[in-house]
Amino acid sequence: MSRHFFTIDEVKTFIDMMALHNMNRMHWHLTDDQGWRLEIKKYPGLTEIGSKRKETVIGHNSGKYDGIPYGGFYTQDEVRDIIDYAAQRYITIIPEIDLPGHMQAALAAYPHLGCTGGPYEVWTIWGVSDDVLCAGNDDVLTFIDDVLAEVIELFPSEYIHIGGDECPKTRWKECKKCQARAKALGIKGDKKHTTEEYLQSFIINHAEKFLNQHGRQMIGWDETLEGGLAPNATVMSWRGEGGGIEAARQHHDVIMTPNTYLYFDYYQTKDTENEPDAIGGYLPVERVYSYEPMPSALTPEEQKYIKGVQANHWTEYMPTFAQVQYMSLPRWAALAEVQWSQPEKKNYECFLKRLPQLINLYDALGYNYATHVFDVSAEFEANAETSMLDIRMKTIDNAPIHYTLDGSQPTQASPVAGDVVSINQNCTFKAVAIRPNGESRVLSEEVAFSRSTCKPTTANQPVNRQYQFKGITTLTDGLKGNRNYKTGRWIAFYRNDMDVTIDLKEPTEISSLAFTTNVEKGDWTFDVRGVTVEVSDDGKNFTKVFEESYPAMKETDRNGLYDHKITLKPVTTRYVHVVGLSERSIPEWHGGKGNAGFLFVDEITIE
Ligand code: ACM
Ligand code: ZN
């Protein structure tokens, strides 16, 4: 809660919401590039200068600014009041001072703590700033000690979070002081870690030593594994569960907060066009509920290091407290059961039956909340046997669902969906749940049928597990994905190619093949590097009818959807084998150079 500022009353309401959901720790992220929110008496500039930015970028770093000065911070007296308020509700506040990265607001006030000396300004855009604390300046170590000393004095929590995430090493690589520090410490990069990663560990170790000497324990984000963990560190695993698994294997305590399940700044619906702006992603209540914090990859002995779970609410796109509530509720209800229920006792259907009662409480308490759980939920399944798209719909309270196929708004007069609605033609499908107190949001899907839609489709190379969703039939289900590659409409290939065989079920004349890729270079997601198409009458002997290769993507190439339409010499065939090559070595200009890239693909249409 640094990117936007919330009043004391709002923070207290947040604590009330936590108490209602049986939560016992509030991790309070008090510092960031875009604002320092905690009074530190020894460094008054942190709040005098660091808590204010001159304006804020509009949307997703659009390049346009609102021109409105923004700021806010908590005095130590106000913090004590909030700590007491939380303690009365059996909630311990764990403060985070994020270091050595995400420090641009502090650098704006104390530029000598940065590698270049500035000048710096409190950041007005979102993202990860390259300007971080200098690892070679002794004043930085003093600064860390001084700030942590006041934090310890203020917060009774046994645990103090020192961040450690997203610290670019750009400045450190160029900085004489940083490099001199590395030399003086005898730090040298090796096969495991770079020089600068070891430097980051030096800083984190310094912070941990200070905390331990004062009887406190340190928590750091999973990047603190890079360069080696501090001896007593607890790790907060956010980039998936991998960091947490590794830390538990190293016998360090872990808090699981994977962005694959518990980033509540992510969207909770695929219908993002009708949502308030969010950072991206897709984490509906059901996905949250399905999270199991004990990784099966760990032995029971190692699982003992998993101490709990946490959901994160980064507030770039939550400018108001009402929006914080909207992103929190009712996902917190699912989180509470993830935290407190034995996995064998968890039951999503049962949870949904109980949820409306909790939502009545939200209404009574005046909490804002998201209503997606009352919408129609639909499973789309390409039925290869009938070559039709089967749609199975439900609502949490079995409210009747009305639907149309012609794009018109469904009403009480539209047909009611039975167990399954099957479709075998192009249409705009719309469905709505109608209750005595009103209508749900309209579910809307464009269904596009081609020769390949809902035909038996097999993968010859595996789909990437993280982005597998419903598997290879996603490519021929008649449903197209949007820009968000996490909705389940896209599947990804990684260190493998899109390599599929489609059985058109009978000899069919074909003359074109098309598919779309979704490119997000910053996420290591690239366009296809080559395509081959082969045809066969028997599914055994194939003849190549198309082959092309494409250059690696350039830094200047746009992100977005890339439509690949291939014209074929008309040929009659039953089986079509398509291969789309993934990027195996990310080009030099990219931070991930030399690694494999992801290939996100949707909807192979054959005509
Ligand atoms: C994080 O989301 N940067 C911890
Ligand atoms: Zn430096």
Coordinates of all heavy atoms in Angstrom, one line a residue, residues 113-116 132-137 140 171-179 199, ligand 2:
L113 N 22.7 8.5 -1.5 CA 22.6 7.1 -1.2 C 22.4 6.2 -2.5 O 22.4 5.0 -2.4 CB 21.4 6.8 -0.3 CG 21.4 7.5 1.1 CD1 20.1 7.1 1.9 CD2 22.6 7.1 1.9
G114 N 22.3 6.9 -3.6 CA 22.2 6.2 -4.9 C 23.6 6.1 -5.6 O 24.5 6.9 -5.2
C115 N 23.8 5.3 -6.5 CA 25.1 5.1 -7.2 C 25.5 6.4 -8.0 O 26.7 6.7 -7.9 CB 25.0 3.9 -8.2 SG 24.9 2.3 -7.3
T116 N 24.6 7.0 -8.6 CA 24.9 8.1 -9.5 C 24.9 9.5 -8.7 O 25.4 10.5 -9.2 CB 24.0 8.3 -10.7 OG1 22.7 8.6 -10.2 CG2 23.9 7.0 -11.5
V132 N 18.7 2.4 -7.3 CA 18.5 1.7 -6.1 C 19.6 2.1 -5.1 O 20.4 3.0 -5.5 CB 18.7 0.1 -6.4 CG1 17.7 -0.3 -7.4 CG2 20.1 -0.2 -6.9
L133 N 19.6 1.6 -3.9 CA 20.6 2.0 -2.9 C 22.0 1.5 -3.4 O 22.1 0.4 -4.0 CB 20.3 1.4 -1.6 CG 19.1 1.9 -0.8 CD1 19.0 1.1 0.5 CD2 19.2 3.3 -0.5
C134 N 23.0 2.3 -3.3 CA 24.3 2.0 -3.7 C 24.9 0.9 -2.7 O 24.9 1.2 -1.5 CB 25.2 3.2 -3.7 SG 27.0 2.8 -4.1
A135 N 25.4 -0.1 -3.2 CA 25.9 -1.2 -2.4 C 27.3 -0.9 -1.9 O 27.9 -1.7 -1.1 CB 25.8 -2.6 -3.1
G136 N 27.9 0.1 -2.4 CA 29.3 0.4 -2.0 C 29.5 1.6 -1.1 O 30.6 1.9 -0.8
N137 N 28.4 2.2 -0.7 CA 28.5 3.4 0.1 C 28.2 3.0 1.6 O 27.1 2.6 1.9 CB 27.4 4.4 -0.4 CG 27.4 5.7 0.3 OD1 28.0 5.8 1.4 ND2 26.8 6.7 -0.3
V140 N 25.0 4.0 3.2 CA 23.8 3.2 2.9 C 23.6 2.2 4.1 O 22.5 2.0 4.5 CB 23.9 2.5 1.6 CG1 22.9 1.4 1.5 CG2 23.7 3.5 0.4
R171 N 22.8 -0.2 -12.2 CA 23.7 0.8 -11.7 C 25.0 0.2 -11.0 O 26.1 0.7 -11.1 CB 23.0 1.7 -10.7 CG 21.8 2.4 -11.2 CD 22.2 3.6 -12.0 NE 21.0 4.3 -12.5 CZ 20.5 4.1 -13.8 NH1 21.1 3.3 -14.6 NH2 19.4 4.8 -14.1
W172 N 24.7 -0.9 -10.3 CA 25.9 -1.5 -9.5 C 27.0 -2.0 -10.5 O 28.1 -1.9 -10.1 CB 25.4 -2.7 -8.7 CG 24.4 -2.4 -7.6 CD1 24.0 -1.1 -7.3 CD2 23.9 -3.3 -6.6 NE1 23.2 -1.2 -6.2 CE2 23.1 -2.5 -5.8 CE3 24.0 -4.6 -6.4 CZ2 22.4 -3.1 -4.7 CZ3 23.3 -5.2 -5.4 CH2 22.5 -4.4 -4.5
K173 N 26.6 -2.4 -11.7 CA 27.6 -2.9 -12.6 C 28.5 -1.8 -13.1 O 29.7 -2.0 -13.4 CB 26.9 -3.5 -13.9 CG 26.4 -4.9 -13.7 CD 25.9 -5.5 -15.0 CE 25.1 -6.8 -14.7 NZ 23.9 -6.9 -15.5
E174 N 27.9 -0.6 -13.1 CA 28.7 0.6 -13.6 C 29.3 1.4 -12.5 O 30.1 2.3 -12.7 CB 27.7 1.6 -14.4 CG 26.9 0.9 -15.5 CD 27.8 0.6 -16.7 OE1 28.7 1.4 -16.9 OE2 27.6 -0.5 -17.3
C175 N 29.0 1.1 -11.2 CA 29.3 2.0 -10.1 C 30.7 1.6 -9.5 O 30.9 0.5 -9.1 CB 28.2 1.9 -9.1 SG 28.6 2.8 -7.5
K176 N 31.6 2.6 -9.4 CA 32.9 2.4 -8.9 C 32.9 1.9 -7.5 O 33.6 1.0 -7.0 CB 33.8 3.6 -9.0 CG 34.3 4.0 -10.4 CD 35.5 4.9 -10.4 CE 35.9 5.3 -11.8 NZ 35.0 6.2 -12.4
K177 N 32.0 2.6 -6.7 CA 31.9 2.2 -5.3 C 31.4 0.8 -5.1 O 31.9 0.1 -4.2 CB 30.9 3.2 -4.5 CG 31.5 4.6 -4.3 CD 30.5 5.6 -3.8 CE 29.6 6.0 -4.9 NZ 28.6 7.0 -4.6
C178 N 30.4 0.4 -5.9 CA 29.8 -0.9 -5.7 C 30.9 -1.9 -6.1 O 31.1 -3.0 -5.4 CB 28.6 -1.1 -6.7 SG 27.1 -0.3 -6.0
Q179 N 31.6 -1.7 -7.2 CA 32.6 -2.6 -7.7 C 33.8 -2.7 -6.7 O 34.4 -3.8 -6.4 CB 33.1 -2.3 -9.1 CG 32.0 -2.4 -10.2 CD 31.4 -3.8 -10.2 OE1 32.1 -4.8 -10.0 NE2 30.1 -3.9 -10.4
L199 N 26.6 -9.2 -4.2 CA 26.5 -7.9 -3.5 C 25.1 -7.6 -2.8 O 25.0 -7.1 -1.7 CB 26.7 -6.7 -4.5 CG 28.1 -6.1 -4.7 CD1 28.1 -5.0 -5.6 CD2 28.7 -5.7 -3.3
Ligands
ZN2 ZN 26.9 1.9 -6.2

